[in-house]
Each structure stands twice: as C-alpha cells, then as structure tokens.
Amino acid sequence: MTHSLLAAVLDWAGTTVDYGCVAPTSVFVQMFALYGVDISAAEARGPMGRGKRDHIRAVMFSPEVQARWQQAHGHLPGEPDVDALYAEFVPHQIEAIARHSTLIPGTLDAIDAFRARGMKIGTCSGYTRAMMNPLVALTAEQGFIPDANVASDEVRAGRPSPYMCFRNAELLDVYPLWRCIKIGDTPVDIEEGRNAGMWTIALAKTGNQLGMTPDEMQAAPDAQVQAALAAARASLSAADYVVDGIGDVPALLEDIEARLAAGERPG
C-alpha cells in the first residue's frame, strides 16, 4: 500500500536509552569545569542533539560562557579550545554512555509494534561512531537490535542537516521519506526529520527537554514537574506529534497512515 509506513528512525539518548538524557549533560558540565569554567545543566542541554564537537562549540561560543572563559583564561575561546576540550570529552563520554545505556521503558514494545507493521528500524545520534559502538552492543544485550545505525561523524554534517536520515534510508533501502517517521527528544531532532521530509514525533517526558529522571520527577513537587513538562512540550511544538515517550508512538501510526491515504505529507 502506498500509504503504509516503511521505517522509523530513532534517536538514542532520551529517546530509546538514558531516560532524562543524563550521560551527555553530566559530561559537558564536568569537562567545562575541568577547564575552570562553570556551566549549568541548562546551558549544557541547550544544543543537545547536535554532533558533540558542534555541541561543545555552541556552548563555548555562547556570550555567557565566552565571558566566563575569558575571565578564567584571559582570552576568548577559539577553535583550539574546542579541539582540546573535545579531546578530553570523548573518553569520558564513552564511559558515561555505558553507565546510562538502560533502555527506556516501552522501547522494545514499540519496536515490536513497528516491525509487526512491516517497518524497518534505523537510528541516528549526535554521538560519533566510537561513542555509538559500545552503546549498540550494550542495548543488543537488552534485545534492541536496529536494522541500521548511523553516527554523526559518518555523514557530511550532523543535525539539523538531514544527512543521517538520508543515510539510514539508503541502508534500510526505503523511500520515499514521507513514508518514514523520525522520533527524537530535541528541537534539532525534529528539524532534522523535517529537513529530510519525514513525519516527526517528539518525546517530551523521557528526553532532554524535561531533563529529569523518574526518581527526580518522583522527588519533585507535582506542580513543578507539570510546569516543566508543559514547557518541554512547547519547545517541541514544531513536530507533527508530541507525546511523552516512545511507548506512546505506536498509537499514532494509524493516524499517520490515514493522513497519507488522504494525500497529506509531513510538515
């Protein structure tokens, strides 16, 4: 059927693993502190979803962090500083990814639902191949085995460019991309999917935009959590759909296929 969905391309941290997107955030804060510059978790989370070198550059060159860097080092940051911090960052990030590799509840059930409809499964990330390989192995032990995995350093440019989605489509042998869905938890995930011409589904509760683990949510006042969740949903409003987590995605598929049958296209 020309209106059936062909594939889902999923993000990793905050989407399929690492509830709350803790691994990247904690290491960014740690690495900037190593260089004598304090950044907040919110500042670390701001460019989340981009390739990690691009992410470091975006944080470092923000006006507020530039000022702190100049105070700590006597000069504004430059590309050599990005390179030095990134070199320190990589091994710490790989270790943190392993510690936060537990699948988010609902992931395997969602994958089963996708496969039951004949859909193929791809993944992409701001992680490099060196960062992704241990994660792929650890999640395979939990039963998550996608058909394709694409890292940010395997394409011409990372998010928000569509190239990781295009590479997934090539590896999965699926087209047109308007019969595919992109699932992620950051605005740049959604921008990537839209640029690729895919249906986009944003996850507000399990990912970076809320940025809370289940234990942190349980410990916080409910009003605080609900206000933060509303803000997370608002930040992802460019997506075709916004839900709490990956377990909510299968319920959307019939609606997307009905829209395709009616001649609608994503975006």
Side-chain angles (χ1 to χ4, degrees):
M1 293 185 295
T2 58
H3 60 268
S4 61
L5 288 166
L6 300 174
V9 176
L10 290 70
D11 178 51
W12 283 91
T15 297
T16 53
V17 297
D18 189 8
Y19 198 121
C21 207
V22 175
T25 305
S26 61
V27 180
F28 282 121
V29 172
Q30 178 186 354
M31 289 299 98
F32 273 89
L34 185 67
Y35 279 77
V37 178
D38 292 332
I39 65 170
S40 67
E43 288 173 322
R45 289 183 180 278
M48 196 68 74
R50 296 181 182 270
K52 296 312 167 196
R53 185 186 294 272
D54 293 340
H55 189 145
I56 287 171
R57 183 181 293 107
V59 173
M60 189 180 289
F61 290 176
S62 69
E64 298 81 6
V65 176
Q66 276 188 319
R68 282 174 240 155
W69 190 278
Q70 185 170 33
Q71 184 175 12
H73 296 278
H75 61 83
L76 290 172
E79 287 300 321
D81 300 303
V82 174
D83 292 341
L85 198 150
Y86 180 74
E88 294 271 6
F89 169 86
V90 171
H92 291 276
Q93 180 67 101
I94 291 172
E95 189 274 334
I97 289 169
R99 284 190 285 107
H100 296 279
S101 60
T102 300
L103 290 175
I104 291 172
T107 298
L108 294 181
D109 288 341
I111 298 303
D112 287 345
F114 300 156
R115 293 201 187 281
R117 302 177 78 92
M119 296 170 66
K120 297 178 181 179
I121 310 299
T123 73
C124 61
S125 176
Y127 292 149
T128 63
R129 174 54 60 186
M131 298 171 191
M132 186 181 285
N133 278 343
L135 181 59
V136 170
L138 288 165
T139 51
E141 293 174 1
Q142 300 171 63
F144 179 45
I145 306 175
D147 302 304
N149 297 296
V150 179
S152 62
D153 60 343
E154 295 177 325
V155 293
R156 181 187 181 101
R159 297 170 184 150
S161 83
Y163 299 131
M164 287 194 290
C165 290
F166 291 166
R167 180 61 176 149
N168 266 285
E170 181 182 10
L171 293 171
L172 297 172
D173 191 21
V174 294
Y175 67 89
L177 269 69
W178 46 259
R179 291 176 62 189
C180 302
I181 60 174
K182 170 68 202 305
I183 307 170
D185 63 289
T186 65
V188 76
D189 273 301
I190 303 312
E191 191 176 356
E192 172 192 32
R194 288 173 63 87
N195 287 339
M198 302 168 73
W199 296 92
T200 54
I201 302 174
L203 310 183
K205 192 172 184 180
T206 66
N208 179 73
Q209 300 308 102
L210 181 61
M212 300 177 75
T213 66
D215 287 344
E216 289 170 337
M217 278 186 273
Q218 187 172 1
D222 184 63
Q224 176 185 331
V225 173
Q226 292 307 313
L229 184 55
R233 289 174 178 144
S235 73
L236 296 165
S237 61
D240 293 299
Y241 300 87
V242 181
V243 293
D244 283 349
I246 192 170
D248 301 310
V249 174
L252 305 175
L253 303 183
E254 285 191 14
D255 185 69
I256 296 173
E257 291 189 345
R259 293 172 69 177
L260 285 170
E264 287 191 56
R265 298 294 179 262

